[in-house]
Amino acid sequence: MSGECKTDSRLEKILKSGQFAVTGECGPPRGADPEVIRKKCALLKSKADAFNITDNQTSVVRMSSISSAVVMMQEGLEPVMQMVCRDRNRIAIQSDILGGAALGIKNMLCLSGDHQKFGDHPQAKNVFDLDSIQLIRTVRTMRDEGKFMGGDDIKGAPKLFIGAAENPFADPFAIRVPRLAKKVAAGVEFIQTQCIFNLDKFKEWMKGVVDRGLHEKVYILGGVTPFKSLGMARYMASKVPGMDVPDHLIQRMKDTPKEKQAEEGIKIAVEIIQELKQVPGVAGVHIMAIEWEEKVGEIAEMAGLLPRPAV
Amino acid sequence: MVVGERKPFDEIKKTLEGHKKVLVLGCGGCVTVCLTGGHDAVQVLSSQLRMARDNEGSPLEIIEKTVERQCDPEYVEEVAALIPEVDAVLSMACGAGVQFMAERYTTTPLYPALNTTFVGGSVKEGYYVERCQTCGECKLAYTGGICPIARCSKSLLNGPCGGSTKGKCEIDPEVPCGWQLIVDRLEALGQMDRYEEINMACDWRTNRDGGPRKMIREDFQR
């Protein structure tokens, strides 16, 4: 995995240099005002190495990932352009990959995408021409072989550092390591995991990852999300598909007075990061403070992850 | 079989507004099996329509008839003598049957009474489930006999996604996760090694994306 960087991505440089990486997340606005992104960027700047720009997350229409990423770059932050398979066929996907790279985007995250049932347009037709693994293979082939899926040569290959997500907590658990192996075989270079609350289960998954040597082929960033409140903890435990929140964390939030719950949520997130740093094979963390961007810096600071290295 | 579901009564009644005599035409094929478009369904719908129109003071005369299959010119021909007698036809066939009728009887308005819903089967009487999306390139040999296109809500070929929970799909706790079913079956068959093969992107030309499809038996084209 070490060796020369294939892109100009700052995230790739940090991971290849063996330093513990930190990524954050920035959700684009539900409107055309770029100031919303600029404000979030001001809160996030220097608090992590790169920041995911979500692609119509939970199937709710928002400003596009590519254009939001461009606004972020104008503010001096490095974006990770998320791309889901739900809304585009392979023609649009490859076209957007070229466009994103042309605009200076250096990282891309390949996702299947939430089903549109959860969003504000449940009537929509979904595409899923490709799935996330086929998308990884597509962008890797475009970058390293300079070929489109159709086989034609690309004049000017897109130099993107290629990521994907993986959920160690979804079922069936037996194929969760094999599924990561498929993503690695398809050409993924870094993984951001689903939010980790159940550390025991995460460690069990990581053991499987390390036993197969996959951690030597892909950088794994553990996903961390702070609870804002008991309500949010309960919501994540019961309403978000594929989320595993142990009862003892719910209880801990319950035992905390309401006005202190946000603080407790941050504390839990910091503790999880401290644990993740010790887990063999974990190369970094991905902090997802959903609509709570101002807390990313605080969490990173408390977890001893600041200042971020210059590369 | 092709499964069809009867349209809401009010929608059907509305399509027949202004008509005074219609043919309600059932189909003896798939929609008879799924209890929505056969002989009995024709009787029930016709009675409902007559009653409703009588109540409105604009009676509707109905000829009831069910042919063997509406997706076959030979049987479609059987109603040729009835067509001049009516000012519209309400077809209780699937979408294919309705169109075979419309192609044959070009000057008579043709209305569908069903929504054609899917290709599937009945797990028990009156309970029908989707099993095939007619993608045109069967993958069942590689997925333990369970279709990822039809059974996964995202038609993922290398699934499951991160939303699979306790065997259920993220879109609905009542919907089984197609990939959980596939994995369970591959495990039972001792074929889990197949899971790790990457299924490459589909060639959707065999699907609807390649335009309207046809299948020709050359040996029958004489």
Side-chain angles (χ1 to χ4, degrees):
Chain A
M1 232 179 355
S2 51
E4 258 180 55
C5 286
K6 293 191 170 168
T7 72
D8 294 328
S9 156
R10 171 188 161 77
L11 179 61
E12 183 183 16
K13 288 192 188 96
I14 286 178
L15 286 165
K16 286 229 162 107
S17 70
Q19 300 176 83
F20 198 78
V22 182
T23 53
E25 199 154 294
C26 175
R30 301 206 68 203
D33 182 4
E35 288 310 312
V36 181
I37 304 168
R38 295 191 204 284
K39 278 185 190 144
K40 285 187 177 184
C41 286
L43 296 169
L44 292 168
K45 196 166 187 179
S46 318
K47 308 299 185 200
D49 305 316
F51 302 87
N52 290 23
I53 303 271
T54 49
D55 180 8
N56 298 299
Q57 77 266 29
T58 63
S59 310
V60 169
V61 176
R62 291 171 182 276
M63 189 187 291
S64 77
S65 177
I66 297 178
S67 28
S68 308
V70 170
V71 177
M72 176 175 267
M73 288 189 291
Q74 290 166 356
E75 299 303 303
L77 287 74
E78 179 166 298
V80 178
M81 167 179 69
Q82 293 196 358
M83 189 177 287
V84 301
C85 298
R86 179 191 61 231
D87 309 323
R88 308 167 173 81
N89 69 7
R90 66 190 77 182
I91 298 170
I93 282 176
Q94 293 178 97
S95 164
D96 282 349
I97 288 170
L98 296 180
L103 290 165
I105 294 168
K106 310 278 195 294
N107 311 287
M108 173 178 164
L109 198 78
C110 305
L111 305 166
S112 300
D114 297 313
H115 196 275
Q116 75 279 7
K117 182 197 160 147
F118 301 105
D120 62 342
H121 292 77
Q123 309 86 346
K125 184 169 182 176
N126 62 32
V127 181
F128 296 115
D129 178 20
L130 305 179
D131 64 23
S132 58
I133 288 174
Q134 293 160 350
L135 175 56
I136 292 165
R137 173 64 59 88
T138 298
V139 61
R140 186 73 191 246
T141 306
M142 289 173 77
R143 187 190 76 189
D144 291 355
E145 293 168 34
K147 298 263 189 214
F148 289 111
M149 284 184 84
D152 287 351
D153 289 335
I154 298 173
K155 295 181 184 74
K159 296 295 178 199
L160 293 160
F161 186 45
I162 304 162
E166 190 51 61
N167 184 355
F169 310 104
D171 293 320
F173 187 67
I175 57 94
R176 287 293 145 187
V177 173
R179 182 158 161 82
L180 177 67
K182 279 178 99 161
K183 288 189 174 175
V184 170
V188 78
E189 296 168 304
F190 72 97
I191 290 284
Q192 293 167 331
T193 74
Q194 175 66 287
C195 316
I196 300 161
F197 298 108
N198 186 340
L199 274 161
D200 292 338
K201 196 159 185 186
F202 177 73
K203 286 175 187 167
E204 190 187 340
W205 179 74
M206 272 311 296
K207 188 178 178 306
V209 170
V210 171
D211 285 349
R212 283 189 62 160
L214 294 171
H215 66 301
E216 288 169 352
K217 295 178 179 158
V218 64
Y219 298 104
I220 295 178
L221 281 66
V224 178
T225 289
F227 297 134
K228 260 181 174 170
S229 62
L230 171 63
M232 176 184 172
R234 279 188 169 142
Y235 179 83
M236 292 188 90
S238 60
K239 294 283 190 300
V240 182
M243 195 74 75
D244 185 340
V245 184
D247 292 341
H248 71 88
L249 288 183
I250 303 279
Q251 192 59 47
R252 189 167 151 189
M253 291 297 286
K254 215 169 165 178
D255 293 343
T256 307
K258 208 171 169 110
E259 67 281 4
K260 296 249 177 194
Q261 281 175 358
E263 203 179 305
E264 194 66 16
I266 302 269
K267 260 174 79 181
I268 294 171
V270 171
E271 287 167 23
I272 290 172
I273 295 175
Q274 302 293 15
E275 287 247 18
L276 289 176
K277 282 183 177 173
Q278 310 302 321
V279 178
V282 172
V285 285
H286 176 54
I287 304 171
M288 291 166 274
I290 303 157
E291 292 303 317
W292 210 19
E293 281 83 1
E294 68 270 27
K295 293 293 174 189
V296 172
E298 190 179 323
I299 295 167
E301 182 72 53
M302 285 169 74
L305 299 169
L306 295 183
R308 297 311 306 150
V311 286
Chain B
M1 68 176 147
V2 176
V3 176
E5 202 171 355
R6 209 181 86 177
K7 281 178 175 289
F9 180 72
D10 287 345
E11 185 187 338
I12 296 172
K13 187 158 74 74
K14 197 165 191 315
T15 62
L16 297 181
E17 269 172 16
H19 293 303
K20 294 196 161 40
K21 186 173 180 184
V22 300
L23 168 65
V24 175
L25 186 63
C27 177
C30 312
V31 293
T32 291
V33 181
C34 70
L35 311 172
T36 46
H39 174 266
D40 296 355
V42 166
Q43 281 191 331
V44 172
L45 178 58
S46 299
S47 302
Q48 284 176 307
L49 283 167
R50 280 191 203 99
M51 264 192 284
R53 289 284 291 263
D54 280 349
N55 287 341
E56 288 172 4
S58 61
L60 180 66
E61 203 179 327
I62 294 177
I63 300 176
E64 296 176 24
K65 170 98 180 153
T66 297
V67 294
E68 187 75 21
R69 282 195 303 277
Q70 286 187 39
C71 57
D72 191 324
E74 185 186 335
Y75 299 115
V76 164
E77 200 58 39
E78 285 177 6
V79 298
L82 298 175
I83 297 298
E85 291 183 38
V86 297
D87 44 46
V89 178
L90 181 64
S91 166
M92 298 198 76
C94 72
V98 176
Q99 291 179 69
F100 267 69
M101 283 291 295
E103 284 163 31
R104 167 63 183 83
Y105 303 109
T106 52
T107 56
T108 305
L110 224 296
Y111 304 114
L114 303 188
N115 290 320
T116 308
T117 38
F118 51 80
V119 174
S122 56
V123 287
K124 57 184 179 184
E125 197 177 1
Y127 194 118
Y128 308 92
V129 288
E130 180 167 25
R131 286 293 181 266
C132 178
Q133 291 210 339
T134 71
C135 74
E137 197 187 342
C138 195
K139 295 152 189 26
L140 290 171
Y142 308 102
T143 53
I146 291 158
C147 179
I149 308 272
R151 306 294 296 277
C152 168
S153 299
K154 299 176 185 171
S155 296
L156 302 181
L157 289 172
N158 293 285
C161 75
S164 178
T165 308
K166 297 187 177 71
K168 303 298 180 190
C169 173
E170 67 176 24
I171 68 153
D172 186 340
E174 298 294 311
V175 175
C177 166
W179 272 97
Q180 175 81 54
L181 300 174
I182 293 170
V183 167
D184 289 349
R185 181 110 167 101
L186 289 177
E187 263 175 354
L189 294 168
Q191 293 178 346
M192 271 303 283
D193 49 318
R194 287 200 180 167
Y195 175 73
E196 290 210 27
E197 289 167 22
I198 294 180
N199 279 310
M200 303 305 279
C202 279
D203 179 347
W204 295 109
R205 281 174 297 188
T206 57
N207 194 53
R208 179 209 58 84
D209 308 85
R213 293 172 278 183
K214 58 189 174 195
M215 193 277 279
I216 301 166
R217 278 282 299 263
E218 293 298 344
D219 47 341
F220 279 72
Q221 310 306 309
R222 291 190 286 271

